[in-house]
Amino acid sequence: MPTADTVLTGAKVRTLDPAAPHATAVAVKNGLIAAVGDEAEIRDWRGPGTETVELAGAVLTPGWTDAHSHPVWGLELATGTDLSGVGDLEALRAALRTADRIDGWILAYGLDHNAFGGRPLHHSLIAEAVGEAPAYIRLYDGHSALISERALRLAGIDGPRAFDQRASVVCDGTGRPTGHLVEHAAMDLVSAVLPQTPYAERAARLTELLSAMAATGLTSAHVMDLGGDALRLLSAIEAAGELPLRLRLSPWCMPGAGPDELAHLVELQREHGRNWRVGGVKFFMDGTVEGGTAWLERPDCHGQGTEAFWPDPEAYSAAVRALHSAGVATATHAIGDAAVRHVLDTVESLGHDGPRHRIEHIETVPDGQLGRFAPLGVVASMQPPHAEYTRADHTDEWSRRLGDERAARAWRCRAVRDAGAVLALGSDWPIAGFDARRVLATARTPRGASAGPGLTGLMALEGLTSHAALAAGEERIAGRIAPGFRADLTALGTDPVAAPADEVVHAPVRLTMTAGRVVFRA
């Protein structure tokens, strides 16, 4: 009989395998689950070279997956001063006065729209605090920024611009830029003059970040971007060692993409390393509610939100059809109800055969659309921690823009599951914290404007495991503890299914294993 590389014993194993839902021991060999059972059944897998890990009653589950994250691109987004704790304009000014300078710049991120108290964003609001320093402040949603007057000059932004995608340089009544940049194309105007992080420092930061993610129980992440030198960066890290997390990366397809670019996206699907691979393509059907760029069936309270991110929505549908015919799965950012409807309509036009497609975020969705996900095989990928930027009384910027009717159907995770859909859960780091335990907890106990009851403990766990595997088309190799499946495993000091949510969020992670390697041990 062959011997295992690792044997995990003394565990309460939740396998999520209907054929054998519970066990106490697991054997691992060559990065795969070799055997699952009780101590006596696994005993013969031990040999001279086997490492035995005693879990002392910890609950072992399939490895947790963050189904929507940006660990590579997020290194840029999360550079500088963290403003996530800032709640009002005076606190923002105080933070900017003492912010570190990076090559002379003030760089900051994570700022809540609510900090402006409903005021229109304008560089004059921060002028005294930043002085003559150029400042670039990313709002928490990652789709907008506020920059100082000097930063505008350095970037050569002196008036409105036209873009292929829905984006804008916000200007006042005289045509002068306010410093508010909305959506990626507008923010990219500043990229060339921003300080650049040295390559070696970025590689070290990425490895450190992924290790920190593993310490919260994560074994893998669906990375919703493939920008810059990500492939080179990941290859370099694996040349020197191992990635702490398994990564599945989806490059962006933006408005204006023609046949050559679509062919390149198909070709990229072949790229992979030992613990990362390109899988699928990411689209944007809209932006964000707070930025006025979520595509809504009716305008928001400012009269905005009536246009799609793709100026010609049918061009989006044609691009999805082209990728679908090539066997490439897609993930589409769709926050507003009109955006969700259009993506569902597009998938409906594809027929039933082919890759599985998914919709990201789904922050407000009416009853009439909920029942379409399951019959169409569309995965709902949602991030419950985002609701913490809203308030139950609807006095926050997100809720005020939508109005009570639409705000009352916010982050309907339980309604999605009850409608029979696959629901994958994630954080969208750095938009929200990456701690997987908080994702589990907020899915079970909705916060802010979240509508309806929370998920059960089992539903939440499935969102990070078996349903995340379905979202990636990997349900035959991941998402459960069964022979032949990946040895991606998470051990927690309490039962994530049965324990109260407030205990889960603080429960100690005892062990995280990715591809048969222990990447975190308490």
Side-chain angles (χ1 to χ4, degrees):
M1 183 174 181
T3 58
D5 300 321
T6 307
V7 167
L8 306 172
T9 64
K12 299 175 183 177
V13 184
R14 284 192 175 272
T15 67
L16 299 192
D17 179 6
H22 300 287
T24 60
V26 175
V28 173
K29 186 174 180 62
N30 296 331
L32 300 175
I33 304 295
V36 183
D38 60 28
E39 308 287 338
E41 292 171 305
I42 302 302
R43 185 180 299 117
D44 290 343
W45 283 91
R46 292 174 174 166
T50 302
E51 178 186 9
T52 298
V53 179
E54 170 58 51
L55 289 176
V59 178
L60 188 69
T61 74
W64 298 350
T65 295
D66 188 326
H68 189 120
S69 186
H70 298 279
V72 184
W73 181 49
L75 293 175
E76 174 191 338
L77 268 66
T79 296
T81 299
D82 182 357
L83 298 177
S84 59
V86 167
D88 57 43
L89 189 55
E90 283 310 309
L92 170 61
R93 290 166 175 160
L96 294 176
R97 289 187 192 104
T98 59
D100 292 335
R101 267 55 169 175
I102 301 176
D103 292 343
W105 281 73
I106 296 174
L107 302 179
Y109 65 96
L111 180 60
D112 190 341
H113 290 75
N114 292 303
F116 294 95
R119 302 175 184 86
L121 274 63
H122 196 283
H123 57 71
S124 62
L125 297 174
I126 60 170
E128 178 273 330
V130 303
E132 286 302 308
Y136 185 86
I137 303 166
R138 290 186 181 272
L139 279 294
Y140 91 92
D141 61 6
H143 284 248
S144 54
L146 176 62
I147 68 174
S148 66
E149 189 170 20
R150 186 173 178 206
L152 285 168
R153 291 198 304 270
L154 290 173
I157 303 173
D158 56 8
R161 299 285 182 92
F163 302 100
D164 289 335
Q165 59 192 251
R166 198 69 65 189
S168 63
V169 173
V170 179
C171 295
D172 62 20
T174 66
R176 299 177 59 131
T178 64
H180 187 195
L181 306 177
V182 179
E183 295 300 336
H184 309 291
M187 294 188 290
D188 286 347
L189 297 174
V190 192
S191 297
V193 297
L194 289 175
Q196 300 300 308
T197 305
Y199 180 82
E201 181 181 335
R202 290 180 63 236
R205 284 182 61 196
L206 178 57
T207 302
E208 181 181 351
L209 171 66
L210 296 178
S211 295
M213 290 178 168
T216 78
L218 286 171
T219 64
S220 64
H222 298 168
V223 181
M224 290 294 154
D225 62 83
L226 182 65
D229 60 353
L231 296 183
R232 176 174 168 241
L233 190 67
L234 294 171
S235 297
I237 292 173
E238 285 201 328
E242 298 291 346
L243 285 169
L245 260 63
R246 188 189 304 277
L247 303 179
R248 178 182 185 270
L249 303 103
S250 298
W252 290 359
C253 182
M254 301 298 265
D260 289 345
E261 185 169 342
L262 292 173
H264 177 61
L265 289 169
V266 173
E267 189 68 22
L268 275 174
Q269 306 300 307
R270 301 180 181 180
E271 297 287 345
H272 67 90
R274 289 192 301 279
N275 223 29
W276 64 268
R277 71 178 184 89
V278 175
V281 169
K282 168 77 178 297
F283 286 85
F284 294 85
M285 203 63 244
D286 65 356
T288 67
V289 170
E290 297 92 330
T293 53
W295 187 18
L296 305 168
E297 302 286 11
R298 304 190 315 277
D300 65 19
C301 69
H302 295 290
Q304 296 178 311
T306 58
E307 298 174 313
F309 185 79
W310 284 62
D312 177 9
E314 179 50 37
Y316 156 84
S317 301
V320 170
R321 280 193 286 271
L323 291 170
H324 178 84
S325 66
V328 178
T330 66
T332 301
H333 169 124
I335 281 178
D337 46 15
V340 172
R341 172 186 52 75
H342 186 82
V343 179
L344 291 170
D345 289 347
T346 298
V347 176
E348 190 170 35
S349 74
L350 301 175
H352 292 292
D353 295 327
R356 187 175 291 130
H357 302 279
R358 49 194 278 181
I359 302 180
E360 310 299 313
H361 306 311
I362 318 170
E363 290 185 4
T364 176
V365 60
D367 289 342
Q369 301 298 336
L370 285 173
R372 301 182 67 194
F373 281 82
L376 294 174
V378 174
V379 173
S381 172
M382 301 178 70
Q383 300 77 45
H386 285 198
E388 295 183 319
Y389 289 100
T390 65
R391 301 169 189 154
D393 63 3
H394 296 171
T395 58
D396 58 281
E397 185 67 17
W398 186 94
S399 299
R400 283 200 302 261
R401 272 190 173 267
L402 288 179
D404 286 340
E405 177 192 346
R406 289 178 292 198
R409 58 187 197 220
W411 287 278
R412 301 177 71 184
C413 291
R414 180 59 180 266
V416 168
R417 274 299 304 261
D418 287 347
V422 172
L423 175 64
L425 299 178
S427 68
D428 199 13
W429 186 88
I431 310 308
F434 56 71
D435 193 322
R437 295 165 297 182
R438 178 160 291 279
V439 175
L440 287 172
T442 54
R444 293 175 57 185
T445 55
R447 312 294 174 87
S450 294
L455 299 178
T456 67
L458 179 59
M459 287 176 175
L461 179 61
E462 289 170 340
L464 290 184
T465 56
S466 57
H467 282 225
L470 283 161
E474 297 178 340
E475 63 271 23
R476 290 182 176 85
I477 58 172
R480 65 178 65 178
I481 302 176
F485 277 60
R486 289 173 176 164
D488 294 353
L489 302 166
T490 300
L492 198 66
T494 193
D495 187 344
V497 171
D502 59 353
E503 289 184 19
V504 172
V505 76
H506 298 296
V509 176
R510 297 282 178 80
L511 177 138
T512 310
M513 174 180 281
T514 299
R517 294 176 294 106
V518 175
V519 293
F520 173 79
R521 194 191 314 242

